[in-house]
Amino acid sequence: MSQAVVHNGIVYLSGQIDGTAEDVVGQTQNVLAKVDKYLEEAGTDKSKLLTSTIWLKDIERDFGAMNGVWNKWLDPNNKPVRATTEASLATPNLLVEVQVTAALD
């Protein structure tokens, strides 16, 4: 599976996860660091985000903490459209998954 695909000037990242941190704050920080890395490798950055989808294992418990990390990470001049939902993730220790698309130019 590819972590990033570029097509017609758009970078599509696969869903990014982190199973190393114990809480949603740490997992979100680690996931967003991966997003930064893959966007940079593709030739873009978070200032060119178009869309984002976020899945939380427990939205009632973790939305506020995740959203705080997300808001600090975002480029204040470019806030993408976003959907956030609750979902059963691939393994029990995963609390958050983030998928984004970004423009190259």
Side-chain angles (χ1 to χ4, degrees):
M1 177 175 70
S2 297
Q3 295 300 315
V5 172
V6 178
H7 180 72
N8 287 339
I10 306 292
V11 178
Y12 301 85
L13 293 191
S14 63
Q16 300 300 310
I17 56 171
D18 173 69
T20 64
E22 296 293 321
D23 63 11
V24 75
V25 169
Q27 285 191 19
T28 304
Q29 290 169 335
N30 293 344
V31 164
L32 295 176
K34 287 181 178 184
V35 168
D36 282 333
K37 174 186 169 223
Y38 291 123
L39 289 175
E40 181 179 358
E41 288 175 4
T44 191
D45 61 51
K46 65 186 172 188
S47 72
K48 297 178 181 141
L49 288 179
L50 301 171
T51 67
S52 60
T53 304
I54 300 173
W55 297 272
L56 290 168
K57 180 177 182 175
D58 186 332
I59 200 165
E60 186 175 337
R61 179 191 66 203
D62 291 336
F63 180 82
M66 176 282 302
N67 203 50
V69 174
W70 174 262
N71 286 333
K72 288 179 188 174
W73 174 79
L74 274 180
D75 180 323
N77 297 315
N78 181 51
K79 297 178 180 178
V81 297
R82 182 181 93 178
T84 305
T85 189
E86 183 173 280
S88 295
L89 300 176
T91 61
N93 64 322
L94 297 177
L95 304 175
V96 61
E97 182 171 351
V98 177
Q99 181 181 32
V100 303
T101 61
L104 280 176
D105 48 41

